[in-house]
Amino acid sequence: MDTQEIKTRLEAIFQKTFEDQTLQIHEAMTANDVEKWTSLTHLVMIDAVEQEFKTKLLLKEILKLKNVGDLIHLLVIKTSAS
């Protein structure tokens, strides 16, 4: 799966999770950039990502993520491996 396809699918997840259909993700985006991003919505978003991409994100992988770009790159790796 390529980066653009992952970004498109991820953006839909973010829009639904954070209840903002105008939300556009970018690689430098962090929780500080999204008003409704809380610890609970973070868990909901990670669960939605795992379901959408049919993969499991390990806690150590999640803890290393510094921004949306890191998540996109992790998903590129995980979806190419399957």
Side-chain angles (χ1 to χ4, degrees), residues 2-3 13 17-19 21 23 32 42 56 63 65 67 69:
D2 70 11
T3 302
I13 292 168
T17 302
F18 301 115
E19 300 171 340
Q21 295 306 308
L23 183 64
N32 293 330
H42 182 81
K56 187 72 178 155
L63 293 174
L65 301 176
N67 54 39

Side-chain angles (χ1 to χ4, degrees), residues 5-35:
E5 182 182 352
I6 288 172
K7 184 178 178 190
T8 300
R9 291 168 68 179
L10 200 55
E11 190 164 83
I13 292 168
F14 273 60
Q15 290 171 346
K16 183 176 180 183
T17 302
F18 301 115
E19 300 171 340
D20 181 355
Q21 295 306 308
T22 64
L23 183 64
Q24 294 184 325
I25 63 171
H26 54 87
E27 292 209 2
M29 178 182 277
T30 67
N32 293 330
D33 299 317
V34 181
E35 185 177 332

Side-chain angles (χ1 to χ4, degrees), residues 20-77:
D20 181 355
Q21 295 306 308
T22 64
L23 183 64
Q24 294 184 325
I25 63 171
H26 54 87
E27 292 209 2
M29 178 182 277
T30 67
N32 293 330
D33 299 317
V34 181
E35 185 177 332
K36 292 186 178 182
W37 194 328
T38 65
S39 56
L40 180 58
T41 56
H42 182 81
L43 293 173
V44 170
M45 183 264 298
I46 292 295
D47 182 58
V49 167
E50 289 178 333
Q51 289 181 33
E52 174 69 23
F53 292 97
K54 296 176 179 36
T55 190
K56 187 72 178 155
L57 302 179
L58 302 174
L59 181 58
K60 66 181 181 179
E61 294 170 328
I62 295 169
L63 293 174
K64 288 181 184 177
L65 301 176
K66 293 186 177 29
N67 54 39
V68 171
D70 288 349
L71 178 57
I72 292 169
H73 296 301
L74 176 60
L75 290 169
V76 167
I77 293 166

